[in-house]
């Protein structure tokens, strides 16, 4: 007999574990998240949060808190450039302004905020939404059977062990994922790219920033390559170093960690700043850049999410953001199955929908690493870059729970201007009359949307809500004719649409498929 029963155990209480806990709480499932560290992240790590992540935080009532916190450290309008050194020449502009080109596609905007500042907000909200978070607790063993999983948890202060019984387990336990190892799930991809370091420092770089208000500043010179993130005062920040020395042409992983001393770290910092000035190193973190994806996302009752499912180099800022999308896809499905509203087969759609996108995102992060960090290796065999916004809000998913349309071209991503509400994509943002967004209608139940018109049958099957939208661009944005309808899932993904007059039976059947109930 286990000491404790929970519906969902989340192993890992960092960015993705906490997001999963918040989303499950939002759907009425009180999950337990266990984390071996004493608190949330101590290093900034992720800093660039994409539209889809902000949309999820908006849905969870966190958007304003996160934006206000972000403005304490960063400007809203930073971009991504490359320089020889802070004092030296500017070499390239990768992204002019963080939110350039997003207007009209989302009710929210991207932000820069450091992960160590973001995570306490996530933890606080997870608790508010009914989750439990247990720190200094490590999952040390797992056994599964047809009804659930039994996980041994060790209290790292007392050494005591207890067993928890969970219907499902989410492994959000990071890139080295002990759970993934335990389940024997292999990684595919590019292996290890570098043994990198991040130097956290204080130095007054305000003058060197001049009027450049940049969120990420890549440094490219013969001695080192990496990137800076500096706060808006220009006095605090960190320098990530990916390569040192000129020879980056060989294919082996680049090692910045060997022989690292405080003196050497100061020399790196001086080179990247490009001039001597008083500087203080606060900390140095060592980490490995990798570009790999897990070949499966599920083993029985355990689901991989976040870095446990895909590891990317930081270029492009995809790591945590992709993990948030995993959590968004998985949480409502777990909740619906646990509440008996969906068939258990719905859970198979997590891997079907996310695995191809996991691989796509790893390839794209690798492309950004290859072109920004080691361009002299050339781009043979490297996938061409896809615009960031397509990877944020233009992804296309397929599974048994999505009712695809005839003539599916198999694409995995679309530009926002091509997004027309096709099944498997994020339902588009359209501004409503009350200044809200169509996206504000999603998040809890299935939602049926119809364009206003003559004789609209404003009906939704049990378990769904219905809205008739009379905002001008709605019908076009969702690809709906008069009398048509669209069915949107709680994660904001279109499950089905009727491109002609849709009857109640058709709609009810679509919901049955989207919930995998027909497979019962
Ligand atoms: C320099 C740098 C810059 C980055 N920039 C960005 C960016 O701009 N945008 C972005 O989206 N991402 C970025 N990332 C990536 C981002 O930090 C990660 O993708 C993100 O932290 C993944 O979150 P996670 O919760 O999946 O894993 P992690 O953050 O690794 O958390 C896993 C947690 O699980 C815990 N754990 C492991 N095993 C157990 C166990 N057995 N029992 C209990 N707890 C356990 C660990 O202690 C850890 O806290 C960056 C990373 C780096 C290094």
């Amino acid at each position: 007999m286990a000491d404790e029963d929970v519906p969902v155990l989340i192993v890992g209480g960092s960015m993705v574990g906490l997001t999963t806990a918040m989303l499950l709480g939002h759907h009425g499932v009180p999950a337990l998240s266990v984390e071996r560290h004493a608190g949330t992240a101590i290093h900034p790590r992720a800093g660039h949060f994409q539209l889809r992540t902000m949309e999820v935080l908006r849905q969870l009532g966190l958007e304003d808190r996160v934006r206000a916190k972000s403005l304490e450290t960063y400007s809203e309008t930073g971009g991504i450039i490359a320089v020889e050194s802070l004092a030296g020449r500017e070499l390239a502009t990768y992204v002019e302004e963080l939110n350039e080109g997003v207007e009209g596609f989302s009710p929210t905007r991207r932000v820069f905020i450091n992960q160590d500042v973001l995570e306490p907000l996530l933890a606080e909200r997870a608790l508010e939404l009914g989750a439990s978070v247990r720190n200094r607790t490590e999952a040390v063993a797992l056994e599964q059977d047809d009804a659930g999983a039994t996980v041994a948890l060790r209290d790292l202060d007392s050494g005591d062990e207890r067993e928890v019984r969970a219907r499902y387990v989410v492994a959000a336990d990071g890139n080295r994922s002990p759970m993934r190892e335990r389940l024997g799930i292999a990684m595919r991809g590019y292996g290890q790219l570098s043994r990198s370091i991040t130097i956290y420092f204080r130095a007054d770089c305000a003058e060197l920033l001049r009027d450049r208000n940049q969120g990420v500043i890549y440094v490219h010179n013969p001695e080192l390559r990496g990137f800076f993130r500096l706060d808006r005062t220009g006095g605090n920040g960190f320098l990530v170093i990916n390569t040192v020395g000129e020879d980056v042409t060989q294919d082996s992983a680049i090692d910045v960690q060997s022989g690292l001393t405080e003196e050497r770290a100061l020399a790196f910092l001086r080179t990247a700043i490009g001039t001597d000035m008083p500087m203080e190193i606060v900390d140095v973190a060592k980490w490995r850049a990798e570009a790999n994806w897990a070949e499966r996302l599920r083993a029985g009752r355990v689901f991989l999410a976040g870095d446990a499912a895909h590891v990317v180099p930081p270029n492009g800022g995809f790591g945590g953001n992709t993990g948030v999308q995993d959590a968004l896809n998985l949480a409502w499905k777990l909740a619906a199955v646990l509440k008996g509203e969906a068939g258990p087969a719905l859970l198979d759609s997590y891997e079907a929908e996310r695995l191809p996108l996991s691989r796509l995102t790893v390839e794209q992060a690798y492309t950004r690493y290859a072109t920004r960090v080691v361009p002299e290796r050339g781009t043979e065999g490297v996938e061409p870059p896809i615009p960031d916004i397509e990877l944020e809000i233009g992804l296309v998913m397929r599974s048994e729970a999505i009712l695809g349309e005839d003539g599916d071209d198999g694409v995995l991503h679309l530009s926002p201007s091509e997004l027309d509400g096709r099944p498997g994509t994020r339902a588009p943002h359209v501004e409503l009359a009350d200044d809200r967004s169509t996206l504000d209608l999603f998040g809890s139940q299935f939602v049926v949307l119809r364009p206003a018109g003559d004789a609209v049958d404003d009906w939704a099957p049990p378990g769904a809500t219905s809205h008739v939208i009379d905002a001008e661009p709605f019908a076009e944005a969702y690809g709906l004719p008069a009398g048509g309808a669209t069915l949107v899932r709680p994660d904001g993904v279109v499950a089905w649409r009727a491109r002609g007059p849709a009857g109640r039976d058709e709609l009810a059947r679509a919901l049955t498929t989207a919930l995998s109930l027909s497979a019962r």
Side-chain angles (χ1 to χ4, degrees), residues 12 14 16 35-37 45-48 115 137 139 173 307 317 319-321:
S14 180
V16 176
E35 166 56 55
R36 59 183 170 203
H37 289 137
R45 293 198 293 166
H48 170 185
Q115 192 166 342
T137 303
D173 52 350
D307 277 17
N321 286 295

Side-chain angles (χ1 to χ4, degrees), residues 11-17 34-37 45-49 115 119 137-140 172-175 178 198 227 229 238 240 287 305-308 314 317-322:
V11 181
S14 180
M15 206 177 135
V16 176
V34 292
E35 166 56 55
R36 59 183 170 203
H37 289 137
R45 293 198 293 166
H48 170 185
F49 291 97
Q115 192 166 342
E119 283 190 8
T137 303
E138 185 172 22
V140 291
D173 52 350
N175 61 353
T198 303
F227 63 84
R229 270 212 321 258
F238 63 84
V240 166
W287 53 278
D307 277 17
F318 292 115
N321 286 295
T322 307

Side-chain angles (χ1 to χ4, degrees), residues 202-221:
R202 281 192 270 273
D204 187 1
C205 301
E207 246 178 62
L208 299 178
L209 284 177
R210 291 166 253 157
D211 57 349
R212 296 181 299 209
N213 179 19
Q214 302 298 331
V216 181
I217 303 178
Y218 278 82
V219 179
H220 246 239
N221 70 49

